[in-house]
Amino acid sequence: MWMHWGNRRFFRIYCPDLIVHPVLDCPDAVDKILPWLERLHVIVFGPGLGRDPKIIETATNLLKLCLSAKKPIVIDADGLFILNDNIDLIYGHSNVILTPNAIEFRRLFGEDINVTRHKISLLGDGIVILEKGLNDKIYISQTNEIYIMPSGGSGRRCGGQGDLLSGSLATFLYWSLQSNQPNPVYLAACASSYFIKRLNYASFQKLGRSTVASDMINEIYTVFRNDFES
């Protein structure tokens, strides 16, 4: 299940398929959200969150609550902004995936390779970093291993492509956990990186430079069937 807390009217008009609960800006937002958490399989933090101080404060408290409840979590976009000065929030937790682009990665872990390795090593073995780029990179915190994924996904990099990555990560993470796969966060990161690049490639072959994120969504059925189910 996926939920977004924001402007309900806007999102319901734009996409009636979404379940939207507009409570993130309420003073008692965390208390209102708490009863729903048990029903949620994976929580995605960040896309569309914004940086209003009150929203950030509420989202930070909600993140702490989800971590204490041991919920699987994907953190992207403005969710990563929360971690810039609070990376220790996720230390030692399991089933957490971070999805920074190159700039967000440097903000989180610095530019000096030794500092970067040290900061990543502190995360713990249940956390994976998927750095987005022409070649996505997957960082395994405990071993300092870096896996370079095949290039692609940038025939035309669409606005919203990162959101598709976050959503697919949540889905693959849940499936990996349900099927008791070893290292589910790593498996989910590999599968989602590959999947989104394949969606982009399939869309770009048809529409070229006019490709947008919704065109990638239209390719989900075919790409998933051909690359995963077959």
Side-chain angles (χ1 to χ4, degrees):
M1 179 182 289
W2 180 84
M3 301 177 72
H4 185 287
W5 294 287
N7 189 318
R8 182 181 184 182
R9 180 174 298 177
F10 171 81
F11 280 102
R12 290 295 291 172
I13 292 174
Y14 183 75
C15 185
D17 301 315
L18 298 181
I19 300 173
V20 183
H21 295 272
V23 300
L24 198 58
D25 54 353
C26 298
D28 58 345
V30 174
D31 292 334
K32 288 186 175 181
I33 293 169
L34 181 59
W36 301 329
L37 289 183
E38 186 177 347
R39 300 171 53 194
L40 304 182
H41 301 130
V42 180
I43 313 294
V44 178
F45 275 91
L49 186 63
R51 297 189 181 179
D52 180 275
K54 292 182 178 179
I55 299 293
I56 291 294
E57 180 181 0
T58 298
T60 302
N61 291 332
L62 186 59
L63 175 60
K64 294 176 181 177
L65 182 64
C66 292
L67 288 168
S68 65
K70 301 186 183 304
K71 286 288 183 180
I73 296 173
V74 177
I75 305 178
D76 183 34
D78 291 320
L80 297 170
F81 175 76
I82 292 175
L83 297 182
N84 282 341
D85 298 317
N86 301 282
I87 191 68
D88 57 306
L89 283 178
I90 60 173
Y91 283 176
H93 287 280
S94 298
N95 301 324
V96 177
I97 302 176
L98 311 182
T99 64
N101 57 32
I103 294 174
E104 292 166 333
F105 183 88
R106 290 195 295 270
R107 288 173 182 163
L108 283 169
F109 302 108
E111 299 189 33
D112 181 270
I113 185 64
N114 293 319
V115 173
T116 297
R117 286 178 176 174
H118 176 67
K119 286 187 174 181
I120 291 176
S121 70
L122 295 174
L123 295 177
D125 60 2
I127 298 175
V128 157
I129 304 160
L130 172 56
E131 182 186 356
K132 299 175 289 191
L134 178 61
N135 293 89
D136 290 349
K137 299 176 183 178
I138 299 174
Y139 296 79
I140 310 298
S141 57
Q142 283 297 87
T143 61
N144 273 321
E145 293 175 282
I146 304 174
Y147 293 90
I148 310 297
M149 298 297 291
S151 62
S154 299
R156 181 185 184 278
R157 194 164 186 88
C158 311
Q161 186 165 321
D163 299 337
L164 294 179
L165 178 69
S166 294
S168 65
L169 274 169
T171 302
F172 282 117
L173 179 54
Y174 174 69
W175 287 343
S176 297
L177 290 167
Q178 284 294 102
S179 56
N180 296 313
Q181 296 293 327
N183 204 345
V185 284
Y186 171 68
L187 182 60
C190 288
S192 188
S193 171
Y194 174 79
F195 182 54
I196 295 302
K197 289 181 182 298
R198 291 288 295 141
L199 290 180
N200 183 279
Y201 178 82
S203 303
F204 191 78
Q205 293 306 300
K206 294 180 178 179
L207 300 166
R209 297 295 172 187
S210 66
T211 301
V212 295
S214 57
D215 300 317
M216 294 174 62
I217 292 174
N218 291 334
E219 297 296 327
I220 287 177
Y221 169 74
T222 302
V223 170
F224 189 86
R225 180 193 62 193
N226 292 342
D227 289 25
F228 288 87
E229 293 184 328
S230 299

